[in-house]
Amino acid sequence: MKIRAKILMFLIILAGISSLFSIYYSINFLSTKYENTAKENLLKLKEQTEGVFYGYLGELSRKGLFISELNEVALNINEPEEISTSLELKIFFLSSINVKVVDLDNRIVVNVNNSSESYINEKTLLYESFFKRSKNSLLRKTGIVSLGENICFVSISPIMNQDTFEKVGDLILELPLDSEFSDQIRNTVRAEIFIFSDDKGIATTMLDDNGERLFPDSFDLMSTKGEKIFGEETYLIGTFHINDHLGKKIGNVVVAYNVSDIQRTKNLDVRSVLLVFFTVFLFVIVVSILIGRWLAKPLRTLAKSAQSISKGDFDVKIGIKSKDEIGELSRLFNSMARSLKIQKKDMQKMQLYLKNMIDSMPSVLIGIDKDGKVTQWNVEAEKKSGLNPEDAIGKKIEDIFPQFASQLAKFQKSIHEKTPQKMEKIAERVDDELKYNDIMIYPLISNGVEGAVIRMDDVTTRIRIEDMMVQTEKMMSVGGLAAGMAHEINNPLGGILLGVQNILRRVSPDFKINRDKAEELNLNLDDIFKYLEKQKIIYFLEVIQRSGERASDIVTNMLNFSRRSESHFVKSDLSSIIEKTIELATNDYDLKRKYDFRHIKITLDFEKEFPDIPCAENELQQVILNLLKNAVHAISENKGKRKDPEITLRLFREGAFGVIEVEDNGPGMDRDTTKRVFEPFFTTKEIGVGTGLGLSVSCFIVTNIHKGTMFVISTPGKGTKFIIKLPLEEK
Amino acid sequence: MSSVKILLVDDEEIVRINLEAYLEDEGYYVLSANSGEEALDMIADQKIDVGIIDMRLPGIDGNVLISELSKLQPEMKFIIHTGSMGYSLPASLVELGISDELVFKKPIKSISKFTGMIRKLTEGKV
């Protein structure tokens, strides 16, 4: 969550909570205040009502006294009409009070009813205890009387003749507690008044919607705690009892105080409070947002810069210059970025250095983790597998180098036991060629790191050199053997060859001496010769001679393997040696028998100003002649292939070496033959044709005597190329 | 007839008899011996023109024999006929005027090489 949002949320929560508390207390306060006011008002109203209520009783009493003391009443007791008329004139004074004049016999003589109802009659006077009195009683009496279902204020006053001081009757004033009465109270106290006799409503000031007087249920009304709603108005209810003259409860007066106005005021207040708080709340939000923004702005700048840094841009500079914590933070941030930049540079340098080191190794170096997944991949590994580091890293090693699959157990062992493992001469077939690798596994030894470094070296060349050395050794032992044998073989061989030639000579009719000897014995030499020819004896002898010669060649060649010290090195012109050798080949009788050298196109491609190099001329000639013979031999097998026979000889410099190439366009050799051409006694020629030593001797001369190298490239169907490299300077 | 006299020294019989037969066929007078000692005995009263000497011999070897013969008959010419492929002329023989072309290494493929060289060596003599 963003700081802005946090600040916003925090302030909103703070404002919200305080507002809620304030609102709660304000409303509570308002409500309490309203309630108290209402209750106080109600109480006042009730008291007022009670006062007014009983005031009417007192007034009734006073009015009774006043009227009873009027002479016109006392004097006219026997003239009721007079009294009635007089009383009717005092209607304003009496308002709704019923006036009755009772004579001494308890008869009502005057009955002026100003109220709509009157509940006192002669019977009432007889039976109601309030009215019971002695005839001459001068007692004045005022009280509340329950008459049937009704209640009245009643005042009884004796009517005295002022002159005689004799009682002439009683004046009874009756004020029924009806709606008219309640209306009068209402007009004074400004509250709705209900009067109940027991439970029956006898007076009400409330009108229903139709303007009819409304009598609410007494129980419902009086059980009301708090507010009561009539129509659209709300009322608080207060009650006081009506007790009769004997103190017995006969009814209730209910005061209904209209609190709608107060409530409206309260609601208005509550609304104002809410409005105020809402405004404050809004203000807080706006301020919060502004504060949030103001506080978050530098933080956002910092965050952006941090993002830039995490993306690798260490050149960001934060321009916040304030003196507060954020300013300090930004300064620290800038210095952090600077030191990160330096550190990264150093790290990159180091990484580059290490990578260079690893990449400049001529070995394949691969890092793997304990699951055999690649973690490091150097240039050699890339070259060998053809896979980029991006593609290789994360892959299983055996998926990239299937030849490792059989070594996985050793990898695991190495990692597990933290001991290096070495596997030598692991063979691998690449493009139909056998390659050898030495594989070493060095476990990572630091704690907590599980993995290993695999080092793989292509030792094919070394193994080939080793093989070649073995071959050389072989050849040298052949040479040593030959040197010992040569004399023993050459002597009898020399004799055999001389013998054959002698025999051929002595049977030949061409020599006179032979014919003379034949004549001595009376023989015809021609016949003898014919016989010998016929019997192929001459041919046999020739074959013996050729075989002897070949045996001689073999011995000579074998001896070449041991003749190192004898060859003396002279700086020579290789091109002239080559040309001389071609000359030799052209005149070679054996070669002519095979294929006429003159029919072969000889191409010479010599580098200009090729320097003289130290070499043993005779031996080198022998090598080149041998190669030429082989080339001719190969071309002679191009039967029917309609290829113009061609031998190309090249001479050029390559680094510290002079290179001689002899290339033919013969049938070429397959891989197995190519591999074995330098082996002693290996030959593809028919039995009796080659010695099987020519190329091995050539190779020996080049590698052992001249410290050069000799190898062959052959493509079946295209031809063969022998390449000789000789050091330009003697070592 | 003042024929050319050849001394042939070789312990290998087949070489000796064949070369002897050949040279005789060619009209030379040939004395043959199978050792240096025998050869020295043989030439006491005869003047030899050309000696064809094998190097490895029982008893005294070819080099010594040539030196001895040369002392006895300073006019005598020599062809060295050896089976040792590694043979090289010792200084003593070079002093006597023997050169590399007079060193014939066995086996000699063409027998006529001998007569060719003998003729060359005896040119002065009719």
PDB file of all heavy atoms in Angstrom, chain A residues 368 410-421 440-446 449-454:
ATOM      1  N   ILE A 368      28.179 -27.452 -13.054  1.00  0.00           N
ATOM      2  CA  ILE A 368      26.867 -28.084 -12.901  1.00  0.00           C
ATOM      3  C   ILE A 368      26.459 -28.016 -11.441  1.00  0.00           C
ATOM      4  O   ILE A 368      27.304 -27.902 -10.558  1.00  0.00           O
ATOM      5  CB  ILE A 368      26.853 -29.568 -13.357  1.00  0.00           C
ATOM      6  CG1 ILE A 368      27.928 -30.379 -12.628  1.00  0.00           C
ATOM      7  CG2 ILE A 368      27.031 -29.685 -14.851  1.00  0.00           C
ATOM      8  CD1 ILE A 368      27.746 -31.870 -12.783  1.00  0.00           C
ATOM      9  N   LYS A 410      29.350 -41.028 -11.561  1.00  0.00           N
ATOM     10  CA  LYS A 410      30.649 -40.504 -11.092  1.00  0.00           C
ATOM     11  C   LYS A 410      30.524 -39.039 -10.707  1.00  0.00           C
ATOM     12  O   LYS A 410      31.155 -38.592  -9.757  1.00  0.00           O
ATOM     13  CB  LYS A 410      31.701 -40.666 -12.194  1.00  0.00           C
ATOM     14  CG  LYS A 410      32.213 -42.084 -12.270  1.00  0.00           C
ATOM     15  CD  LYS A 410      33.543 -42.144 -12.986  1.00  0.00           C
ATOM     16  CE  LYS A 410      34.114 -43.539 -12.916  1.00  0.00           C
ATOM     17  NZ  LYS A 410      35.295 -43.719 -13.738  1.00  0.00           N
ATOM     18  N   PHE A 411      29.726 -38.295 -11.487  1.00  0.00           N
ATOM     19  CA  PHE A 411      29.494 -36.882 -11.157  1.00  0.00           C
ATOM     20  C   PHE A 411      28.911 -36.781  -9.747  1.00  0.00           C
ATOM     21  O   PHE A 411      29.391 -36.024  -8.913  1.00  0.00           O
ATOM     22  CB  PHE A 411      28.498 -36.233 -12.134  1.00  0.00           C
ATOM     23  CG  PHE A 411      29.036 -36.051 -13.537  1.00  0.00           C
ATOM     24  CD1 PHE A 411      30.279 -36.541 -13.895  1.00  0.00           C
ATOM     25  CD2 PHE A 411      28.286 -35.383 -14.491  1.00  0.00           C
ATOM     26  CE1 PHE A 411      30.760 -36.366 -15.180  1.00  0.00           C
ATOM     27  CE2 PHE A 411      28.758 -35.205 -15.775  1.00  0.00           C
ATOM     28  CZ  PHE A 411      29.998 -35.716 -16.112  1.00  0.00           C
ATOM     29  N   GLN A 412      27.870 -37.581  -9.541  1.00  0.00           N
ATOM     30  CA  GLN A 412      27.182 -37.550  -8.247  1.00  0.00           C
ATOM     31  C   GLN A 412      28.153 -37.916  -7.129  1.00  0.00           C
ATOM     32  O   GLN A 412      28.189 -37.287  -6.081  1.00  0.00           O
ATOM     33  CB  GLN A 412      26.000 -38.526  -8.239  1.00  0.00           C
ATOM     34  CG  GLN A 412      24.881 -38.138  -9.177  1.00  0.00           C
ATOM     35  CD  GLN A 412      24.263 -36.790  -8.840  1.00  0.00           C
ATOM     36  OE1 GLN A 412      24.386 -36.312  -7.720  1.00  0.00           O
ATOM     37  NE2 GLN A 412      23.616 -36.149  -9.807  1.00  0.00           N
ATOM     38  N   LYS A 413      28.935 -38.937  -7.396  1.00  0.00           N
ATOM     39  CA  LYS A 413      29.889 -39.409  -6.402  1.00  0.00           C
ATOM     40  C   LYS A 413      30.877 -38.285  -6.064  1.00  0.00           C
ATOM     41  O   LYS A 413      31.183 -38.033  -4.898  1.00  0.00           O
ATOM     42  CB  LYS A 413      30.627 -40.617  -6.966  1.00  0.00           C
ATOM     43  CG  LYS A 413      31.477 -41.329  -5.918  1.00  0.00           C
ATOM     44  CD  LYS A 413      32.225 -42.489  -6.529  1.00  0.00           C
ATOM     45  CE  LYS A 413      33.288 -42.991  -5.579  1.00  0.00           C
ATOM     46  NZ  LYS A 413      34.354 -43.681  -6.246  1.00  0.00           N
ATOM     47  N   SER A 414      31.329 -37.638  -7.111  1.00  0.00           N
ATOM     48  CA  SER A 414      32.297 -36.563  -6.917  1.00  0.00           C
ATOM     49  C   SER A 414      31.722 -35.440  -6.074  1.00  0.00           C
ATOM     50  O   SER A 414      32.343 -34.955  -5.145  1.00  0.00           O
ATOM     51  CB  SER A 414      32.725 -36.020  -8.280  1.00  0.00           C
ATOM     52  OG  SER A 414      33.517 -34.894  -8.118  1.00  0.00           O
ATOM     53  N   ILE A 415      30.479 -35.061  -6.398  1.00  0.00           N
ATOM     54  CA  ILE A 415      29.834 -33.970  -5.663  1.00  0.00           C
ATOM     55  C   ILE A 415      29.593 -34.399  -4.219  1.00  0.00           C
ATOM     56  O   ILE A 415      29.823 -33.655  -3.283  1.00  0.00           O
ATOM     57  CB  ILE A 415      28.513 -33.565  -6.355  1.00  0.00           C
ATOM     58  CG1 ILE A 415      28.814 -32.949  -7.714  1.00  0.00           C
ATOM     59  CG2 ILE A 415      27.736 -32.597  -5.499  1.00  0.00           C
ATOM     60  CD1 ILE A 415      27.595 -32.732  -8.571  1.00  0.00           C
ATOM     61  N   HIS A 416      29.144 -35.631  -4.083  1.00  0.00           N
ATOM     62  CA  HIS A 416      28.772 -36.140  -2.781  1.00  0.00           C
ATOM     63  C   HIS A 416      29.980 -36.292  -1.860  1.00  0.00           C
ATOM     64  O   HIS A 416      29.961 -35.870  -0.719  1.00  0.00           O
ATOM     65  CB  HIS A 416      28.103 -37.495  -2.974  1.00  0.00           C
ATOM     66  CG  HIS A 416      27.126 -37.797  -1.900  1.00  0.00           C
ATOM     67  ND1 HIS A 416      25.945 -37.106  -1.766  1.00  0.00           N
ATOM     68  CD2 HIS A 416      27.162 -38.696  -0.889  1.00  0.00           C
ATOM     69  CE1 HIS A 416      25.298 -37.570  -0.720  1.00  0.00           C
ATOM     70  NE2 HIS A 416      26.007 -38.541  -0.167  1.00  0.00           N
ATOM     71  N   GLU A 417      31.021 -36.884  -2.400  1.00  0.00           N
ATOM     72  CA  GLU A 417      32.180 -37.169  -1.557  1.00  0.00           C
ATOM     73  C   GLU A 417      33.210 -36.053  -1.600  1.00  0.00           C
ATOM     74  O   GLU A 417      34.234 -36.117  -0.930  1.00  0.00           O
ATOM     75  CB  GLU A 417      32.831 -38.490  -2.011  1.00  0.00           C
ATOM     76  CG  GLU A 417      31.929 -39.677  -1.771  1.00  0.00           C
ATOM     77  CD  GLU A 417      32.523 -40.966  -2.319  1.00  0.00           C
ATOM     78  OE1 GLU A 417      33.677 -40.915  -2.813  1.00  0.00           O
ATOM     79  OE2 GLU A 417      31.844 -41.983  -2.272  1.00  0.00           O
ATOM     80  N   LYS A 418      32.935 -35.059  -2.419  1.00  0.00           N
ATOM     81  CA  LYS A 418      33.850 -33.936  -2.585  1.00  0.00           C
ATOM     82  C   LYS A 418      35.251 -34.407  -2.956  1.00  0.00           C
ATOM     83  O   LYS A 418      36.249 -33.966  -2.398  1.00  0.00           O
ATOM     84  CB  LYS A 418      33.882 -33.055  -1.330  1.00  0.00           C
ATOM     85  CG  LYS A 418      32.535 -32.353  -1.084  1.00  0.00           C
ATOM     86  CD  LYS A 418      32.716 -31.064  -0.308  1.00  0.00           C
ATOM     87  CE  LYS A 418      31.408 -30.384   0.031  1.00  0.00           C
ATOM     88  NZ  LYS A 418      30.650 -29.906  -1.094  1.00  0.00           N
ATOM     89  N   THR A 419      35.288 -35.350  -3.855  1.00  0.00           N
ATOM     90  CA  THR A 419      36.584 -35.819  -4.348  1.00  0.00           C
ATOM     91  C   THR A 419      36.595 -35.692  -5.864  1.00  0.00           C
ATOM     92  O   THR A 419      35.613 -36.019  -6.517  1.00  0.00           O
ATOM     93  CB  THR A 419      36.813 -37.299  -4.000  1.00  0.00           C
ATOM     94  OG1 THR A 419      35.643 -38.025  -4.400  1.00  0.00           O
ATOM     95  CG2 THR A 419      37.070 -37.514  -2.539  1.00  0.00           C
ATOM     96  N   PRO A 420      37.694 -35.200  -6.408  1.00  0.00           N
ATOM     97  CA  PRO A 420      37.772 -35.075  -7.862  1.00  0.00           C
ATOM     98  C   PRO A 420      37.781 -36.460  -8.525  1.00  0.00           C
ATOM     99  O   PRO A 420      38.248 -37.426  -7.934  1.00  0.00           O
ATOM    100  CB  PRO A 420      39.109 -34.363  -8.087  1.00  0.00           C
ATOM    101  CG  PRO A 420      39.510 -33.845  -6.758  1.00  0.00           C
ATOM    102  CD  PRO A 420      38.905 -34.717  -5.739  1.00  0.00           C
ATOM    103  N   GLN A 421      37.239 -36.506  -9.698  1.00  0.00           N
ATOM    104  CA  GLN A 421      37.218 -37.751 -10.452  1.00  0.00           C
ATOM    105  C   GLN A 421      37.851 -37.512 -11.806  1.00  0.00           C
ATOM    106  O   GLN A 421      37.708 -36.445 -12.383  1.00  0.00           O
ATOM    107  CB  GLN A 421      35.767 -38.216 -10.671  1.00  0.00           C
ATOM    108  CG  GLN A 421      34.989 -38.471  -9.396  1.00  0.00           C
ATOM    109  CD  GLN A 421      35.318 -39.803  -8.784  1.00  0.00           C
ATOM    110  OE1 GLN A 421      35.625 -40.760  -9.481  1.00  0.00           O
ATOM    111  NE2 GLN A 421      35.303 -39.869  -7.456  1.00  0.00           N
ATOM    112  N   MET A 440      37.443 -34.500 -16.371  1.00  0.00           N
ATOM    113  CA  MET A 440      37.758 -34.398 -14.951  1.00  0.00           C
ATOM    114  C   MET A 440      36.621 -33.690 -14.252  1.00  0.00           C
ATOM    115  O   MET A 440      36.047 -32.763 -14.796  1.00  0.00           O
ATOM    116  CB  MET A 440      39.049 -33.618 -14.752  1.00  0.00           C
ATOM    117  CG  MET A 440      40.258 -34.496 -14.856  1.00  0.00           C
ATOM    118  SD  MET A 440      41.597 -33.647 -15.665  1.00  0.00           S
ATOM    119  CE  MET A 440      41.042 -33.593 -17.323  1.00  0.00           C
ATOM    120  N   ILE A 441      36.318 -34.135 -13.056  1.00  0.00           N
ATOM    121  CA  ILE A 441      35.250 -33.504 -12.293  1.00  0.00           C
ATOM    122  C   ILE A 441      35.839 -32.999 -10.990  1.00  0.00           C
ATOM    123  O   ILE A 441      36.388 -33.770 -10.214  1.00  0.00           O
ATOM    124  CB  ILE A 441      34.130 -34.496 -11.996  1.00  0.00           C
ATOM    125  CG1 ILE A 441      33.613 -35.068 -13.315  1.00  0.00           C
ATOM    126  CG2 ILE A 441      32.989 -33.817 -11.274  1.00  0.00           C
ATOM    127  CD1 ILE A 441      33.026 -36.410 -13.125  1.00  0.00           C
ATOM    128  N   TYR A 442      35.739 -31.690 -10.824  1.00  0.00           N
ATOM    129  CA  TYR A 442      36.207 -31.109  -9.578  1.00  0.00           C
ATOM    130  C   TYR A 442      35.000 -30.650  -8.800  1.00  0.00           C
ATOM    131  O   TYR A 442      34.275 -29.759  -9.247  1.00  0.00           O
ATOM    132  CB  TYR A 442      37.115 -29.908  -9.864  1.00  0.00           C
ATOM    133  CG  TYR A 442      38.275 -30.244 -10.757  1.00  0.00           C
ATOM    134  CD1 TYR A 442      38.279 -29.873 -12.101  1.00  0.00           C
ATOM    135  CD2 TYR A 442      39.372 -30.939 -10.255  1.00  0.00           C
ATOM    136  CE1 TYR A 442      39.343 -30.193 -12.925  1.00  0.00           C
ATOM    137  CE2 TYR A 442      40.435 -31.257 -11.078  1.00  0.00           C
ATOM    138  CZ  TYR A 442      40.427 -30.884 -12.404  1.00  0.00           C
ATOM    139  OH  TYR A 442      41.483 -31.201 -13.212  1.00  0.00           O
ATOM    140  N   PRO A 443      34.753 -31.257  -7.654  1.00  0.00           N
ATOM    141  CA  PRO A 443      33.578 -30.815  -6.882  1.00  0.00           C
ATOM    142  C   PRO A 443      33.843 -29.442  -6.303  1.00  0.00           C
ATOM    143  O   PRO A 443      34.993 -29.094  -6.017  1.00  0.00           O
ATOM    144  CB  PRO A 443      33.475 -31.862  -5.772  1.00  0.00           C
ATOM    145  CG  PRO A 443      34.852 -32.409  -5.643  1.00  0.00           C
ATOM    146  CD  PRO A 443      35.492 -32.322  -6.990  1.00  0.00           C
ATOM    147  N   LEU A 444      32.788 -28.664  -6.146  1.00  0.00           N
ATOM    148  CA  LEU A 444      32.929 -27.353  -5.497  1.00  0.00           C
ATOM    149  C   LEU A 444      33.049 -27.615  -4.011  1.00  0.00           C
ATOM    150  O   LEU A 444      32.203 -28.278  -3.422  1.00  0.00           O
ATOM    151  CB  LEU A 444      31.712 -26.476  -5.807  1.00  0.00           C
ATOM    152  CG  LEU A 444      31.526 -26.182  -7.287  1.00  0.00           C
ATOM    153  CD1 LEU A 444      30.232 -25.446  -7.509  1.00  0.00           C
ATOM    154  CD2 LEU A 444      32.686 -25.373  -7.831  1.00  0.00           C
ATOM    155  N   ILE A 445      34.133 -27.101  -3.412  1.00  0.00           N
ATOM    156  CA  ILE A 445      34.414 -27.547  -2.060  1.00  0.00           C
ATOM    157  C   ILE A 445      33.876 -26.624  -0.986  1.00  0.00           C
ATOM    158  O   ILE A 445      33.789 -27.004   0.157  1.00  0.00           O
ATOM    159  CB  ILE A 445      35.932 -27.752  -1.836  1.00  0.00           C
ATOM    160  CG1 ILE A 445      36.685 -26.585  -2.431  1.00  0.00           C
ATOM    161  CG2 ILE A 445      36.397 -29.066  -2.428  1.00  0.00           C
ATOM    162  CD1 ILE A 445      38.120 -26.523  -2.040  1.00  0.00           C
ATOM    163  N   SER A 446      33.507 -25.386  -1.360  1.00  0.00           N
ATOM    164  CA  SER A 446      33.036 -24.516  -0.284  1.00  0.00           C
ATOM    165  C   SER A 446      31.691 -25.012   0.220  1.00  0.00           C
ATOM    166  O   SER A 446      30.875 -25.517  -0.542  1.00  0.00           O
ATOM    167  CB  SER A 446      32.942 -23.065  -0.759  1.00  0.00           C
ATOM    168  OG  SER A 446      32.347 -23.008  -1.999  1.00  0.00           O
ATOM    169  N   VAL A 449      27.656 -24.958  -1.064  1.00  0.00           N
ATOM    170  CA  VAL A 449      27.526 -24.956  -2.519  1.00  0.00           C
ATOM    171  C   VAL A 449      27.646 -26.391  -2.981  1.00  0.00           C
ATOM    172  O   VAL A 449      28.638 -27.055  -2.715  1.00  0.00           O
ATOM    173  CB  VAL A 449      28.643 -24.121  -3.177  1.00  0.00           C
ATOM    174  CG1 VAL A 449      28.424 -24.055  -4.680  1.00  0.00           C
ATOM    175  CG2 VAL A 449      28.671 -22.742  -2.579  1.00  0.00           C
ATOM    176  N   GLU A 450      26.616 -26.851  -3.645  1.00  0.00           N
ATOM    177  CA  GLU A 450      26.681 -28.210  -4.142  1.00  0.00           C
ATOM    178  C   GLU A 450      26.749 -28.163  -5.647  1.00  0.00           C
ATOM    179  O   GLU A 450      25.892 -27.599  -6.307  1.00  0.00           O
ATOM    180  CB  GLU A 450      25.450 -29.002  -3.678  1.00  0.00           C
ATOM    181  CG  GLU A 450      25.553 -29.395  -2.229  1.00  0.00           C
ATOM    182  CD  GLU A 450      24.837 -30.698  -1.959  1.00  0.00           C
ATOM    183  OE1 GLU A 450      23.661 -30.793  -2.349  1.00  0.00           O
ATOM    184  OE2 GLU A 450      25.455 -31.614  -1.385  1.00  0.00           O
ATOM    185  N   GLY A 451      27.790 -28.742  -6.178  1.00  0.00           N
ATOM    186  CA  GLY A 451      27.940 -28.732  -7.617  1.00  0.00           C
ATOM    187  C   GLY A 451      29.342 -29.147  -7.963  1.00  0.00           C
ATOM    188  O   GLY A 451      30.129 -29.540  -7.103  1.00  0.00           O
ATOM    189  N   ALA A 452      29.658 -29.040  -9.233  1.00  0.00           N
ATOM    190  CA  ALA A 452      30.982 -29.450  -9.663  1.00  0.00           C
ATOM    191  C   ALA A 452      31.348 -28.706 -10.928  1.00  0.00           C
ATOM    192  O   ALA A 452      30.502 -28.122 -11.601  1.00  0.00           O
ATOM    193  CB  ALA A 452      31.014 -30.942  -9.920  1.00  0.00           C
ATOM    194  N   VAL A 453      32.636 -28.683 -11.193  1.00  0.00           N
ATOM    195  CA  VAL A 453      33.121 -28.155 -12.455  1.00  0.00           C
ATOM    196  C   VAL A 453      33.603 -29.352 -13.266  1.00  0.00           C
ATOM    197  O   VAL A 453      34.358 -30.174 -12.772  1.00  0.00           O
ATOM    198  CB  VAL A 453      34.276 -27.165 -12.228  1.00  0.00           C
ATOM    199  CG1 VAL A 453      34.831 -26.714 -13.562  1.00  0.00           C
ATOM    200  CG2 VAL A 453      33.807 -25.980 -11.424  1.00  0.00           C
ATOM    201  N   ILE A 454      33.112 -29.408 -14.483  1.00  0.00           N
ATOM    202  CA  ILE A 454      33.561 -30.478 -15.360  1.00  0.00           C
ATOM    203  C   ILE A 454      34.575 -29.881 -16.322  1.00  0.00           C
ATOM    204  O   ILE A 454      34.314 -28.848 -16.932  1.00  0.00           O
ATOM    205  CB  ILE A 454      32.384 -31.049 -16.184  1.00  0.00           C
ATOM    206  CG1 ILE A 454      31.345 -31.629 -15.252  1.00  0.00           C
ATOM    207  CG2 ILE A 454      32.884 -32.111 -17.152  1.00  0.00           C
ATOM    208  CD1 ILE A 454      30.070 -31.996 -15.958  1.00  0.00           C
TER     209      ILE A 454
END
